[in-house]
Amino acid sequence: MARRPLPRILSNRGAHLARSRELARTAADSATDILHPLITIVRGLRRLASAGRRRVADTPKDRRGALLFLVASVLLVVLLLPYGPLLAAIALMAAAAWQGRDRAPAAPKGPDESQAQRLKSLYDALVPYFSSAGDPDPLYTHGGSWEKAFPAYEFDGTGRITHLVVVYPAYYTDGEAESRARIEHLLAAKSGRGREYHFAWDEEGNQLTVQVLAPLPADIAAQRFVTSPGETVLGFTDPMQVHRTLPLAHGEEQRDVPPVVWRTGIRSTAPHLLAAGQPGSGTSTLLRSVALQALRHGDVVIVDGGGTGEYACLTGRDGVLAVECGLAGVLESLRWAAHETERRLIAANRAHQAGDPPPEDTKRPLWILLDRPSAFTHLAAADGREDPQSLLQIPLRHGRPANVTVVVADQLDSLETLSDAVRQHTRARVLLGPATPEQVTAVLGAPPHTTPLDHVPAGRGYARLGTGPVHRLQVPATPDPYDDTTGADHRKAVLDLLPARSAQGDAQTEPTRTAPESGPVRRTPADATFTDKHSLEKKPVDPATTDRTVTEPYAAGTADTADTADTADTADTADTADTDTAPPEPVPVETAAAESS
């Protein structure tokens, strides 16, 4: 049965209400303007009546009779005089109008003496930068006036500048980063240290707008954000460049905060992320926040190079394929991730050639989170093993069409040890903690529009997604719930977001996995190698089938750990491999990518 359309009066009810409300507001404003003299006189009469009552109340009782006789005599004389009542009414109205006037003190025009002195000193400091010897009509001169140079300004209660518009000559090189940095540093130093300033350069109008930024909220706990699949909230920023807000629960209150949303997936322009910062700046907190959001729709492999158990709370959870903190386990997990990326590319390519949609096991996102991978680089070099970062080349280069996302977090002093693939393919960047403008530019690829501070809370920094602008960032509080120093509210918030314990992790036995359920064997961080030897065996695969198990390339890349297996098991595996049919050769990734294109 077809639905009948709503009546016009119901469908346009919102528009009618808005129009009626606007008409009522306009009518009230007009009536206030017209009746303003009457309102003033009524207010004055009320004040005169109140003053008369106070006068009578303050008069002693023995003198009230004489006072009333005097008032009555005055009224009688006024009534007997020619035009007396008319003159008395005019005098009363004049007195009421005088008493009913607006007595609010008028706002002072222009700055006071201290504010004018501050603007004058700021003007004198800008003279060497904005003046030229060949200018016939200089705007900035020694001993000049600052009124034309600063057309708009605002001060706070302490007398410091909160908003300032600076007009500069057209010949100033405002298109050079060095010239801008000099002016920004000068204005921040002269306007007051310890605050963050936002600088907006209008090159067309030759104006610079300086605005003091309010501190970002640092007490927002981790929670389920209102986002769609493929969107990850990195943190929160200022509402100047972000027009979207998220409803957040802050205790018992609800408020809207502008977020920094990172979009991943097949159509993402920045599919991988690199986070850097000083020790204690909050990079591990950022990775935990990303992991909790990624587990809602995908699987996660975590590599902990810090060795402090920051991610022990995620071990054995649903969707967490592995939490590695040993070199052998890291190599196995990253090698499996590379082969899983190849398998997804091959399966999707075959489906595209056949005109079918991609298989479901290639659509589920796979996240590879690495915290301080440079620590394993030194261990691998000392042990003569393969660098784990070399295994990230395939997920980084071909991860976007395979729904594989890589997130790397490391310290600022270790960025030089990161591989070229990590630095080239991580187009989403985050820098946390105190940093100089040069460090922000080196990590993000663009200078910040605000002044970095020397002391910032954990999780505070900057973010840039691809070629977009640089945003201030505050990561939501996502501490380790097993840390004794964590607050009760933040610990409970993280524990509520953790997935349930997987039955496979509780049973401590791992069956043989096929392609839809492939992944590293879950184990505790104390283990150093995989405990399921069946996942390392070569399985016969029918060449006619389109899907192949991941155990084939996974076993091919685990030759360096074959010595950990038992001798009898190895012999049984070799006999089985001789009698079974040889598996087909894997298709190179470059060939699959070329066929896909």
Side-chain angles (χ1 to χ4, degrees):
M1 181 177 179
R3 294 183 178 180
R4 298 179 60 185
L6 293 174
R8 184 178 180 85
I9 188 174
L10 296 180
S11 61
N12 297 334
R13 183 178 181 181
H16 285 300
L17 289 177
R19 192 179 301 108
S20 301
R21 191 180 298 112
E22 185 65 24
L23 291 176
R25 187 182 297 109
T26 304
D29 295 340
S30 302
T32 302
D33 296 338
I34 295 173
L35 300 177
H36 181 70
L38 181 60
I39 295 174
T40 302
I41 293 176
V42 171
R43 188 190 303 119
L45 291 175
R46 186 173 65 251
R47 291 176 180 177
L48 290 175
S50 300
R53 286 195 302 268
R54 289 194 302 269
R55 177 64 177 174
V56 173
D58 295 340
T59 303
K61 292 183 178 180
D62 55 346
R63 296 182 181 179
R64 290 181 181 178
L67 179 63
L68 293 176
F69 179 76
L70 178 62
V71 172
S73 301
V74 172
L75 292 177
L76 180 61
V77 171
V78 169
L79 291 175
L80 294 177
L81 289 176
Y83 305 102
L86 179 59
L87 294 176
I90 294 175
L92 181 62
M93 293 299 103
W98 177 258
Q99 291 293 331
R101 72 188 188 280
D102 190 6
R103 299 181 181 181
K109 296 182 179 180
D112 55 18
E113 184 178 355
S114 61
Q115 295 174 355
Q117 182 62 30
R118 183 180 290 272
L119 293 175
K120 177 63 175 177
S121 62
L122 187 59
Y123 174 84
D124 294 337
L126 292 174
V127 169
Y129 300 94
F130 289 154
S131 62
S132 177
D135 192 352
D137 186 15
L139 181 62
Y140 290 83
T141 58
H142 293 283
S145 178
W146 55 266
E147 282 79 4
K148 294 183 179 180
F150 305 144
Y153 47 84
E154 293 179 5
F155 294 86
D156 57 7
T158 61
R160 296 200 298 177
I161 296 175
T162 58
H163 178 77
L164 181 65
V165 177
V166 180
V167 178
Y168 57 89
Y171 52 78
Y172 184 73
T173 56
D174 53 359
E176 299 179 1
E178 295 79 5
S179 302
R180 290 189 176 191
R182 288 195 299 267
I183 300 301
E184 293 174 0
H185 178 74
L186 174 64
L187 291 175
K190 293 295 183 180
S191 301
R193 298 182 182 273
R195 299 185 298 176
E196 291 185 85
Y197 296 88
H198 180 267
F199 301 96
W201 291 82
D202 183 7
E203 300 180 10
E204 184 178 359
N206 299 322
Q207 288 186 353
L208 170 61
T209 303
V210 185
Q211 184 176 359
V212 177
L213 298 176
L216 294 176
D219 54 350
I220 298 179
Q223 52 192 282
R224 295 192 181 276
F225 303 114
V226 183
T227 55
S228 60
E231 292 184 345
T232 303
V233 177
L234 299 179
F236 309 99
T237 184
D238 302 301
M240 292 183 296
Q241 296 179 341
V242 177
H243 304 288
R244 173 182 178 181
T245 59
L246 289 181
L248 301 178
H250 184 257
E252 298 180 355
E253 300 179 357
Q254 194 84 8
R255 58 179 177 178
D256 296 337
V257 181
V260 178
V261 179
W262 174 39
R263 292 175 175 82
T264 58
I266 298 178
R267 293 174 178 84
S268 174
T269 58
H272 308 295
L273 174 70
L274 173 62
Q278 300 289 351
S281 59
T283 54
S284 299
T285 299
L286 175 62
L287 257 65
R288 271 191 298 270
S289 177
V290 171
L292 293 177
Q293 298 179 62
L295 288 174
R296 297 173 57 184
H297 308 287
D299 299 326
V300 175
V301 175
I302 300 176
V303 174
D304 185 9
T308 57
E310 292 281 344
Y311 308 94
C313 60
L314 296 172
T315 304
R317 302 284 180 174
D318 289 339
V320 181
L321 303 182
V323 178
E324 306 291 350
C325 60
L327 179 58
V330 169
L331 290 173
E332 295 298 329
S333 297
L334 296 183
R335 189 176 292 113
W336 172 85
H339 293 313
E340 173 66 8
T341 305
E342 292 180 352
R343 184 197 67 80
R344 293 188 176 203
L345 286 174
I346 294 172
N349 181 44
R350 290 176 177 173
H352 294 162
Q353 291 180 353
D356 299 329
E360 292 297 330
D361 59 339
T362 63
K363 295 181 179 179
R364 183 172 177 82
L366 174 63
W367 293 73
I368 306 173
L369 309 181
L370 300 96
D371 192 357
R372 294 193 63 188
S374 59
F376 294 108
T377 300
H378 298 292
L379 293 177
D383 201 15
R385 294 195 178 187
E386 184 182 8
D387 185 2
Q389 296 187 45
S390 63
L391 301 174
L392 294 174
Q393 185 173 3
I394 294 178
L396 287 170
R397 180 175 298 178
H398 306 285
R400 183 173 62 86
N403 281 320
V404 178
T405 303
V406 179
V407 181
V408 180
D410 216 318
Q411 297 182 2
L412 276 175
D413 53 1
S414 302
L415 293 182
E416 296 180 356
T417 61
L418 296 179
S419 63
D420 294 338
V422 173
R423 290 196 296 265
Q424 292 176 2
H425 295 283
T426 51
R427 303 186 69 246
R429 300 292 181 91
V430 172
L431 177 61
L432 300 179
T436 62
E438 292 76 14
Q439 291 176 334
V440 177
T441 304
V443 175
L444 303 182
H449 297 286
T450 61
T451 53
L453 297 179
D454 297 333
H455 303 283
V456 294
R460 179 72 59 82
Y462 296 92
R464 189 188 184 204
L465 305 178
T467 58
V470 178
H471 301 280
R472 282 204 310 167
L473 180 70
Q474 176 62 52
V475 179
T478 316
D480 182 10
Y482 297 162
D483 189 359
D484 296 337
T485 61
T486 302
D489 296 338
H490 290 169
R491 179 187 293 108
K492 183 179 183 301
V494 176
L495 291 176
D496 293 342
L497 294 178
L498 289 175
R501 293 281 183 180
S502 61
Q504 184 177 4
D506 297 337
Q508 295 182 356
T509 57
E510 294 80 11
T512 304
R513 298 173 183 165
T514 57
E517 301 177 356
S518 59
V521 180
R522 297 186 180 93
R523 64 179 190 280
T524 60
D527 298 333
T529 57
F530 286 90
T531 57
D532 187 9
K533 60 180 175 49
H534 298 287
S535 62
L536 304 179
E537 298 176 359
K538 291 185 177 181
K539 303 297 180 180
V541 182
D542 188 4
T545 60
T546 58
D547 294 330
R548 57 174 182 152
T549 59
V550 185
T551 55
E552 174 197 346
Y554 189 80
T558 56
D560 54 347
T561 59
D563 53 348
T564 60
D566 189 49
T567 306
D569 297 337
T570 305
D572 297 338
T573 306
D575 297 337
T576 306
D578 293 337
T579 56
D580 294 338
T581 306
E585 292 294 333
V587 181
V589 180
E590 290 75 6
T591 305
E595 294 176 358
S596 162
S597 61

PDB file of all heavy atoms in Angstrom, residues 389-407:
ATOM      1  N   GLN A 389      61.443  -4.270   9.136  1.00  0.00           N
ATOM      2  CA  GLN A 389      60.868  -3.209   8.316  1.00  0.00           C
ATOM      3  C   GLN A 389      60.861  -3.560   6.833  1.00  0.00           C
ATOM      4  O   GLN A 389      60.046  -3.025   6.079  1.00  0.00           O
ATOM      5  CB  GLN A 389      61.630  -1.906   8.538  1.00  0.00           C
ATOM      6  CG  GLN A 389      61.542  -1.361   9.950  1.00  0.00           C
ATOM      7  CD  GLN A 389      62.158   0.005  10.072  1.00  0.00           C
ATOM      8  OE1 GLN A 389      61.928   0.885   9.241  1.00  0.00           O
ATOM      9  NE2 GLN A 389      62.979   0.214  11.104  1.00  0.00           N
ATOM     10  N   SER A 390      61.771  -4.427   6.405  1.00  0.00           N
ATOM     11  CA  SER A 390      61.771  -4.826   4.999  1.00  0.00           C
ATOM     12  C   SER A 390      60.530  -5.628   4.626  1.00  0.00           C
ATOM     13  O   SER A 390      60.144  -5.671   3.463  1.00  0.00           O
ATOM     14  CB  SER A 390      63.028  -5.634   4.688  1.00  0.00           C
ATOM     15  OG  SER A 390      63.051  -6.840   5.452  1.00  0.00           O
ATOM     16  N   LEU A 391      59.899  -6.265   5.630  1.00  0.00           N
ATOM     17  CA  LEU A 391      58.683  -7.031   5.370  1.00  0.00           C
ATOM     18  C   LEU A 391      57.448  -6.145   5.258  1.00  0.00           C
ATOM     19  O   LEU A 391      56.381  -6.628   4.902  1.00  0.00           O
ATOM     20  CB  LEU A 391      58.467  -8.061   6.486  1.00  0.00           C
ATOM     21  CG  LEU A 391      59.602  -9.078   6.675  1.00  0.00           C
ATOM     22  CD1 LEU A 391      59.339  -9.935   7.896  1.00  0.00           C
ATOM     23  CD2 LEU A 391      59.741  -9.958   5.426  1.00  0.00           C
ATOM     24  N   LEU A 392      57.594  -4.859   5.556  1.00  0.00           N
ATOM     25  CA  LEU A 392      56.464  -3.929   5.446  1.00  0.00           C
ATOM     26  C   LEU A 392      56.307  -3.330   4.059  1.00  0.00           C
ATOM     27  O   LEU A 392      55.355  -2.595   3.820  1.00  0.00           O
ATOM     28  CB  LEU A 392      56.623  -2.789   6.456  1.00  0.00           C
ATOM     29  CG  LEU A 392      56.553  -3.149   7.935  1.00  0.00           C
ATOM     30  CD1 LEU A 392      56.865  -1.928   8.776  1.00  0.00           C
ATOM     31  CD2 LEU A 392      55.194  -3.710   8.296  1.00  0.00           C
ATOM     32  N   GLN A 393      57.232  -3.644   3.156  1.00  0.00           N
ATOM     33  CA  GLN A 393      57.195  -2.999   1.847  1.00  0.00           C
ATOM     34  C   GLN A 393      55.931  -3.381   1.082  1.00  0.00           C
ATOM     35  O   GLN A 393      55.276  -2.526   0.471  1.00  0.00           O
ATOM     36  CB  GLN A 393      58.437  -3.371   1.044  1.00  0.00           C
ATOM     37  CG  GLN A 393      58.535  -2.638  -0.288  1.00  0.00           C
ATOM     38  CD  GLN A 393      59.854  -2.895  -0.979  1.00  0.00           C
ATOM     39  OE1 GLN A 393      60.678  -3.663  -0.482  1.00  0.00           O
ATOM     40  NE2 GLN A 393      60.065  -2.263  -2.116  1.00  0.00           N
ATOM     41  N   ILE A 394      55.566  -4.653   1.108  1.00  0.00           N
ATOM     42  CA  ILE A 394      54.373  -5.097   0.372  1.00  0.00           C
ATOM     43  C   ILE A 394      53.096  -4.552   1.014  1.00  0.00           C
ATOM     44  O   ILE A 394      52.233  -4.002   0.303  1.00  0.00           O
ATOM     45  CB  ILE A 394      54.353  -6.628   0.270  1.00  0.00           C
ATOM     46  CG1 ILE A 394      55.513  -7.115  -0.604  1.00  0.00           C
ATOM     47  CG2 ILE A 394      53.021  -7.115  -0.292  1.00  0.00           C
ATOM     48  CD1 ILE A 394      55.597  -8.620  -0.727  1.00  0.00           C
ATOM     49  N   PRO A 395      52.900  -4.662   2.338  1.00  0.00           N
ATOM     50  CA  PRO A 395      51.680  -4.050   2.906  1.00  0.00           C
ATOM     51  C   PRO A 395      51.604  -2.542   2.707  1.00  0.00           C
ATOM     52  O   PRO A 395      50.507  -1.996   2.526  1.00  0.00           O
ATOM     53  CB  PRO A 395      51.775  -4.418   4.394  1.00  0.00           C
ATOM     54  CG  PRO A 395      52.622  -5.632   4.440  1.00  0.00           C
ATOM     55  CD  PRO A 395      53.629  -5.452   3.345  1.00  0.00           C
ATOM     56  N   LEU A 396      52.744  -1.862   2.724  1.00  0.00           N
ATOM     57  CA  LEU A 396      52.713  -0.423   2.534  1.00  0.00           C
ATOM     58  C   LEU A 396      52.418  -0.041   1.086  1.00  0.00           C
ATOM     59  O   LEU A 396      51.653   0.888   0.819  1.00  0.00           O
ATOM     60  CB  LEU A 396      54.044   0.192   2.969  1.00  0.00           C
ATOM     61  CG  LEU A 396      54.313   0.265   4.474  1.00  0.00           C
ATOM     62  CD1 LEU A 396      55.748   0.671   4.738  1.00  0.00           C
ATOM     63  CD2 LEU A 396      53.363   1.241   5.149  1.00  0.00           C
ATOM     64  N   ARG A 397      53.009  -0.747   0.152  1.00  0.00           N
ATOM     65  CA  ARG A 397      52.862  -0.383  -1.252  1.00  0.00           C
ATOM     66  C   ARG A 397      51.536  -0.852  -1.822  1.00  0.00           C
ATOM     67  O   ARG A 397      50.915  -0.147  -2.632  1.00  0.00           O
ATOM     68  CB  ARG A 397      54.023  -0.971  -2.054  1.00  0.00           C
ATOM     69  CG  ARG A 397      53.965  -0.657  -3.549  1.00  0.00           C
ATOM     70  CD  ARG A 397      55.206  -1.163  -4.247  1.00  0.00           C
ATOM     71  NE  ARG A 397      56.418  -0.505  -3.732  1.00  0.00           N
ATOM     72  CZ  ARG A 397      57.643  -0.797  -4.157  1.00  0.00           C
ATOM     73  NH1 ARG A 397      57.813  -1.733  -5.073  1.00  0.00           N
ATOM     74  NH2 ARG A 397      58.678  -0.165  -3.653  1.00  0.00           N
ATOM     75  N   HIS A 398      51.078  -2.040  -1.432  1.00  0.00           N
ATOM     76  CA  HIS A 398      49.863  -2.615  -2.016  1.00  0.00           C
ATOM     77  C   HIS A 398      48.767  -2.817  -0.977  1.00  0.00           C
ATOM     78  O   HIS A 398      47.818  -3.563  -1.232  1.00  0.00           O
ATOM     79  CB  HIS A 398      50.188  -3.958  -2.669  1.00  0.00           C
ATOM     80  CG  HIS A 398      51.296  -3.895  -3.673  1.00  0.00           C
ATOM     81  ND1 HIS A 398      51.146  -3.364  -4.926  1.00  0.00           N
ATOM     82  CD2 HIS A 398      52.601  -4.292  -3.581  1.00  0.00           C
ATOM     83  CE1 HIS A 398      52.293  -3.441  -5.596  1.00  0.00           C
ATOM     84  NE2 HIS A 398      53.200  -3.998  -4.795  1.00  0.00           N
ATOM     85  N   GLY A 399      48.874  -2.183   0.187  1.00  0.00           N
ATOM     86  CA  GLY A 399      47.884  -2.417   1.225  1.00  0.00           C
ATOM     87  C   GLY A 399      46.549  -1.745   0.976  1.00  0.00           C
ATOM     88  O   GLY A 399      45.516  -2.253   1.412  1.00  0.00           O
ATOM     89  N   ARG A 400      46.538  -0.628   0.265  1.00  0.00           N
ATOM     90  CA  ARG A 400      45.275   0.098   0.073  1.00  0.00           C
ATOM     91  C   ARG A 400      44.250  -0.729  -0.703  1.00  0.00           C
ATOM     92  O   ARG A 400      43.110  -0.867  -0.240  1.00  0.00           O
ATOM     93  CB  ARG A 400      45.540   1.435  -0.623  1.00  0.00           C
ATOM     94  CG  ARG A 400      44.312   2.300  -0.799  1.00  0.00           C
ATOM     95  CD  ARG A 400      44.697   3.671  -1.337  1.00  0.00           C
ATOM     96  NE  ARG A 400      45.304   3.571  -2.642  1.00  0.00           N
ATOM     97  CZ  ARG A 400      44.628   3.542  -3.791  1.00  0.00           C
ATOM     98  NH1 ARG A 400      43.318   3.619  -3.767  1.00  0.00           N
ATOM     99  NH2 ARG A 400      45.252   3.455  -4.945  1.00  0.00           N
ATOM    100  N   PRO A 401      44.567  -1.307  -1.875  1.00  0.00           N
ATOM    101  CA  PRO A 401      43.541  -2.132  -2.545  1.00  0.00           C
ATOM    102  C   PRO A 401      43.240  -3.428  -1.819  1.00  0.00           C
ATOM    103  O   PRO A 401      42.207  -4.051  -2.086  1.00  0.00           O
ATOM    104  CB  PRO A 401      44.152  -2.390  -3.929  1.00  0.00           C
ATOM    105  CG  PRO A 401      45.612  -2.246  -3.742  1.00  0.00           C
ATOM    106  CD  PRO A 401      45.782  -1.196  -2.698  1.00  0.00           C
ATOM    107  N   ALA A 402      44.115  -3.868  -0.902  1.00  0.00           N
ATOM    108  CA  ALA A 402      43.890  -5.110  -0.173  1.00  0.00           C
ATOM    109  C   ALA A 402      43.270  -4.875   1.196  1.00  0.00           C
ATOM    110  O   ALA A 402      43.150  -5.825   1.980  1.00  0.00           O
ATOM    111  CB  ALA A 402      45.215  -5.857  -0.015  1.00  0.00           C
ATOM    112  N   ASN A 403      42.894  -3.639   1.518  1.00  0.00           N
ATOM    113  CA  ASN A 403      42.299  -3.293   2.810  1.00  0.00           C
ATOM    114  C   ASN A 403      43.256  -3.609   3.965  1.00  0.00           C
ATOM    115  O   ASN A 403      42.847  -4.096   5.027  1.00  0.00           O
ATOM    116  CB  ASN A 403      40.970  -4.024   3.027  1.00  0.00           C
ATOM    117  CG  ASN A 403      39.826  -3.382   2.281  1.00  0.00           C
ATOM    118  OD1 ASN A 403      39.722  -2.167   2.223  1.00  0.00           O
ATOM    119  ND2 ASN A 403      38.976  -4.196   1.682  1.00  0.00           N
ATOM    120  N   VAL A 404      44.514  -3.335   3.764  1.00  0.00           N
ATOM    121  CA  VAL A 404      45.541  -3.530   4.787  1.00  0.00           C
ATOM    122  C   VAL A 404      46.092  -2.149   5.144  1.00  0.00           C
ATOM    123  O   VAL A 404      46.535  -1.413   4.260  1.00  0.00           O
ATOM    124  CB  VAL A 404      46.666  -4.456   4.303  1.00  0.00           C
ATOM    125  CG1 VAL A 404      47.751  -4.591   5.367  1.00  0.00           C
ATOM    126  CG2 VAL A 404      46.105  -5.828   3.945  1.00  0.00           C
ATOM    127  N   THR A 405      46.055  -1.801   6.408  1.00  0.00           N
ATOM    128  CA  THR A 405      46.499  -0.497   6.896  1.00  0.00           C
ATOM    129  C   THR A 405      47.656  -0.694   7.861  1.00  0.00           C
ATOM    130  O   THR A 405      47.604  -1.560   8.739  1.00  0.00           O
ATOM    131  CB  THR A 405      45.355   0.235   7.609  1.00  0.00           C
ATOM    132  OG1 THR A 405      44.241   0.353   6.713  1.00  0.00           O
ATOM    133  CG2 THR A 405      45.787   1.624   8.043  1.00  0.00           C
ATOM    134  N   VAL A 406      48.689   0.120   7.695  1.00  0.00           N
ATOM    135  CA  VAL A 406      49.892   0.059   8.531  1.00  0.00           C
ATOM    136  C   VAL A 406      49.991   1.355   9.319  1.00  0.00           C
ATOM    137  O   VAL A 406      49.882   2.446   8.752  1.00  0.00           O
ATOM    138  CB  VAL A 406      51.159  -0.157   7.680  1.00  0.00           C
ATOM    139  CG1 VAL A 406      52.392  -0.204   8.570  1.00  0.00           C
ATOM    140  CG2 VAL A 406      51.037  -1.437   6.862  1.00  0.00           C
ATOM    141  N   VAL A 407      50.187   1.231  10.622  1.00  0.00           N
ATOM    142  CA  VAL A 407      50.376   2.369  11.517  1.00  0.00           C
ATOM    143  C   VAL A 407      51.702   2.158  12.248  1.00  0.00           C
ATOM    144  O   VAL A 407      51.886   1.146  12.923  1.00  0.00           O
ATOM    145  CB  VAL A 407      49.220   2.511  12.523  1.00  0.00           C
ATOM    146  CG1 VAL A 407      49.444   3.716  13.429  1.00  0.00           C
ATOM    147  CG2 VAL A 407      47.891   2.631  11.797  1.00  0.00           C
TER     148      VAL A 407
END
